[in-house]
mmCIF file of all heavy atoms in Angstrom:
data_model
loop_
_atom_site.group_PDB
_atom_site.id
_atom_site.type_symbol
_atom_site.label_atom_id
_atom_site.label_comp_id
_atom_site.label_asym_id
_atom_site.label_seq_id
_atom_site.Cartn_x
_atom_site.Cartn_y
_atom_site.Cartn_z
ATOM 1 N N THR A 492 15.719 7.724 12.531
ATOM 2 C CA THR A 492 16.106 7.555 13.936
ATOM 3 C C THR A 492 15.075 6.766 14.723
ATOM 4 O O THR A 492 15.300 6.441 15.889
ATOM 5 C CB THR A 492 16.289 8.926 14.604
ATOM 6 O OG1 THR A 492 15.044 9.648 14.563
ATOM 7 C CG2 THR A 492 17.362 9.743 13.904
ATOM 8 N N THR A 493 13.922 6.482 14.085
ATOM 9 C CA THR A 493 12.755 5.829 14.703
ATOM 10 C C THR A 493 12.319 6.569 15.972
ATOM 11 O O THR A 493 11.973 5.958 16.977
ATOM 12 C CB THR A 493 12.996 4.333 15.000
ATOM 13 O OG1 THR A 493 14.049 4.189 15.961
ATOM 14 C CG2 THR A 493 13.344 3.566 13.740
ATOM 15 N N ILE A 494 12.319 7.891 15.888
ATOM 16 C CA ILE A 494 11.888 8.725 17.017
ATOM 17 C C ILE A 494 10.691 9.570 16.602
ATOM 18 O O ILE A 494 10.695 10.220 15.554
ATOM 19 C CB ILE A 494 13.028 9.664 17.492
ATOM 20 C CG1 ILE A 494 14.174 8.838 18.088
ATOM 21 C CG2 ILE A 494 12.510 10.669 18.521
ATOM 22 C CD1 ILE A 494 13.814 8.072 19.333
ATOM 23 N N ARG A 495 9.657 9.562 17.421
ATOM 24 C CA ARG A 495 8.504 10.438 17.262
ATOM 25 C C ARG A 495 8.609 11.556 18.302
ATOM 26 O O ARG A 495 8.613 11.293 19.508
ATOM 27 C CB ARG A 495 7.194 9.681 17.455
ATOM 28 C CG ARG A 495 5.943 10.544 17.321
ATOM 29 C CD ARG A 495 4.681 9.756 17.626
ATOM 30 N NE ARG A 495 4.472 8.668 16.676
ATOM 31 C CZ ARG A 495 4.601 7.383 16.954
ATOM 32 N NH1 ARG A 495 4.974 7.002 18.199
ATOM 33 N NH2 ARG A 495 4.386 6.454 16.042
ATOM 34 N N LYS A 496 8.721 12.783 17.856
ATOM 35 C CA LYS A 496 8.849 13.923 18.760
ATOM 36 C C LYS A 496 7.540 14.687 18.807
ATOM 37 O O LYS A 496 7.012 15.103 17.779
ATOM 38 C CB LYS A 496 9.967 14.860 18.301
ATOM 39 C CG LYS A 496 10.157 16.059 19.214
ATOM 40 C CD LYS A 496 11.294 16.946 18.736
ATOM 41 C CE LYS A 496 11.466 18.160 19.641
ATOM 42 N NZ LYS A 496 12.570 19.050 19.170
ATOM 43 N N HIS A 497 6.996 14.860 20.004
ATOM 44 C CA HIS A 497 5.780 15.647 20.192
ATOM 45 C C HIS A 497 6.172 17.114 20.359
ATOM 46 O O HIS A 497 6.921 17.470 21.269
ATOM 47 C CB HIS A 497 5.010 15.141 21.398
ATOM 48 C CG HIS A 497 4.543 13.722 21.252
ATOM 49 N ND1 HIS A 497 3.388 13.389 20.598
ATOM 50 C CD2 HIS A 497 5.107 12.547 21.641
ATOM 51 C CE1 HIS A 497 3.245 12.073 20.600
ATOM 52 N NE2 HIS A 497 4.271 11.539 21.223
ATOM 53 N N VAL A 498 5.687 17.938 19.451
ATOM 54 C CA VAL A 498 6.158 19.322 19.355
ATOM 55 C C VAL A 498 5.780 20.142 20.571
ATOM 56 O O VAL A 498 6.583 20.938 21.081
ATOM 57 C CB VAL A 498 5.623 19.973 18.065
ATOM 58 C CG1 VAL A 498 5.964 21.461 18.033
ATOM 59 C CG2 VAL A 498 6.175 19.260 16.842
ATOM 60 N N GLN A 499 4.569 19.963 21.069
ATOM 61 C CA GLN A 499 4.083 20.832 22.131
ATOM 62 C C GLN A 499 4.912 20.737 23.409
ATOM 63 O O GLN A 499 5.288 21.753 23.991
ATOM 64 C CB GLN A 499 2.611 20.519 22.448
ATOM 65 C CG GLN A 499 2.002 21.495 23.466
ATOM 66 C CD GLN A 499 0.502 21.256 23.635
ATOM 67 O OE1 GLN A 499 -0.059 20.355 23.035
ATOM 68 N NE2 GLN A 499 -0.142 22.096 24.432
ATOM 69 N N ASP A 500 5.247 19.539 23.851
ATOM 70 C CA ASP A 500 5.989 19.395 25.109
ATOM 71 C C ASP A 500 7.418 18.879 24.906
ATOM 72 O O ASP A 500 8.163 18.720 25.879
ATOM 73 C CB ASP A 500 5.235 18.481 26.087
ATOM 74 C CG ASP A 500 4.991 17.089 25.509
ATOM 75 O OD1 ASP A 500 5.576 16.754 24.468
ATOM 76 O OD2 ASP A 500 4.198 16.331 26.109
ATOM 77 N N GLY A 501 7.792 18.590 23.657
ATOM 78 C CA GLY A 501 9.158 18.168 23.383
ATOM 79 C C GLY A 501 9.476 16.733 23.760
ATOM 80 O O GLY A 501 10.625 16.301 23.649
ATOM 81 N N THR A 502 8.480 15.984 24.203
ATOM 82 C CA THR A 502 8.734 14.584 24.581
ATOM 83 C C THR A 502 8.960 13.721 23.345
ATOM 84 O O THR A 502 8.477 14.036 22.249
ATOM 85 C CB THR A 502 7.566 14.012 25.409
ATOM 86 O OG1 THR A 502 6.360 14.097 24.628
ATOM 87 C CG2 THR A 502 7.391 14.794 26.700
ATOM 88 N N GLU A 503 9.670 12.635 23.544
ATOM 89 C CA GLU A 503 9.990 11.734 22.445
ATOM 90 C C GLU A 503 9.622 10.304 22.796
ATOM 91 O O GLU A 503 9.621 9.935 23.977
ATOM 92 C CB GLU A 503 11.487 11.811 22.105
ATOM 93 C CG GLU A 503 11.930 13.180 21.608
ATOM 94 C CD GLU A 503 13.409 13.207 21.251
ATOM 95 O OE1 GLU A 503 14.118 12.215 21.568
ATOM 96 O OE2 GLU A 503 13.869 14.191 20.644
ATOM 97 N N GLU A 504 9.303 9.521 21.779
ATOM 98 C CA GLU A 504 9.035 8.104 21.974
ATOM 99 C C GLU A 504 9.546 7.329 20.768
ATOM 100 O O GLU A 504 9.720 7.892 19.681
ATOM 101 C CB GLU A 504 7.543 7.845 22.177
ATOM 102 C CG GLU A 504 6.671 8.287 21.017
ATOM 103 C CD GLU A 504 5.190 8.085 21.317
ATOM 104 O OE1 GLU A 504 4.847 7.050 21.901
ATOM 105 O OE2 GLU A 504 4.385 8.959 20.941
ATOM 106 N N GLU A 505 9.806 6.057 20.975
ATOM 107 C CA GLU A 505 10.365 5.253 19.898
ATOM 108 C C GLU A 505 9.259 4.731 18.987
ATOM 109 O O GLU A 505 8.179 4.356 19.449
ATOM 110 C CB GLU A 505 11.153 4.075 20.474
ATOM 111 C CG GLU A 505 11.899 3.271 19.419
ATOM 112 C CD GLU A 505 12.810 2.225 20.026
ATOM 113 O OE1 GLU A 505 12.975 2.211 21.265
ATOM 114 O OE2 GLU A 505 13.361 1.410 19.261
ATOM 115 N N ILE A 506 9.532 4.722 17.695
ATOM 116 C CA ILE A 506 8.629 4.144 16.713
ATOM 117 C C ILE A 506 9.040 2.691 16.492
ATOM 118 O O ILE A 506 10.193 2.414 16.163
ATOM 119 C CB ILE A 506 8.698 4.919 15.379
ATOM 120 C CG1 ILE A 506 8.349 6.400 15.593
ATOM 121 C CG2 ILE A 506 7.754 4.308 14.357
ATOM 122 C CD1 ILE A 506 8.638 7.274 14.379
ATOM 123 N N ASP A 507 8.133 1.772 16.680
ATOM 124 C CA ASP A 507 8.453 0.351 16.601
ATOM 125 C C ASP A 507 8.409 -0.134 15.153
ATOM 126 O O ASP A 507 7.571 -0.957 14.759
ATOM 127 C CB ASP A 507 7.489 -0.450 17.468
ATOM 128 C CG ASP A 507 7.867 -1.932 17.533
ATOM 129 O OD1 ASP A 507 9.042 -2.246 17.281
ATOM 130 O OD2 ASP A 507 6.985 -2.755 17.821
ATOM 131 N N LEU A 508 9.322 0.408 14.351
ATOM 132 C CA LEU A 508 9.452 0.012 12.956
ATOM 133 C C LEU A 508 10.927 0.042 12.577
ATOM 134 O O LEU A 508 11.720 0.736 13.232
ATOM 135 C CB LEU A 508 8.660 0.963 12.037
ATOM 136 C CG LEU A 508 7.130 0.871 12.064
ATOM 137 C CD1 LEU A 508 6.524 1.972 11.217
ATOM 138 C CD2 LEU A 508 6.655 -0.486 11.562
ATOM 139 N N PRO A 509 11.325 -0.660 11.526
ATOM 140 C CA PRO A 509 12.721 -0.580 11.082
ATOM 141 C C PRO A 509 13.077 0.834 10.625
ATOM 142 O O PRO A 509 12.188 1.649 10.333
ATOM 143 C CB PRO A 509 12.773 -1.564 9.902
ATOM 144 C CG PRO A 509 11.586 -2.441 10.065
ATOM 145 C CD PRO A 509 10.539 -1.607 10.726
ATOM 146 N N THR A 510 14.356 1.128 10.562
ATOM 147 C CA THR A 510 14.784 2.454 10.118
ATOM 148 C C THR A 510 14.538 2.615 8.619
ATOM 149 O O THR A 510 14.611 1.662 7.844
ATOM 150 C CB THR A 510 16.271 2.688 10.414
ATOM 151 O OG1 THR A 510 17.041 1.685 9.748
ATOM 152 C CG2 THR A 510 16.543 2.649 11.899
ATOM 153 N N SER A 511 14.239 3.855 8.221
ATOM 154 C CA SER A 511 14.017 4.173 6.815
ATOM 155 C C SER A 511 14.191 5.679 6.635
ATOM 156 O O SER A 511 13.886 6.456 7.556
ATOM 157 C CB SER A 511 12.611 3.742 6.383
ATOM 158 O OG SER A 511 12.409 3.982 5.012
#
Side-chain angles (χ1 to χ4, degrees):
T492 61
T493 63
I494 294 296
R495 179 184 297 109
K496 181 179 179 181
H497 298 276
V498 173
Q499 186 173 2
D500 59 12
T502 59
E503 297 181 350
E504 60 184 319
E505 186 173 353
I506 302 170
D507 186 22
L508 288 174
T510 59
S511 183

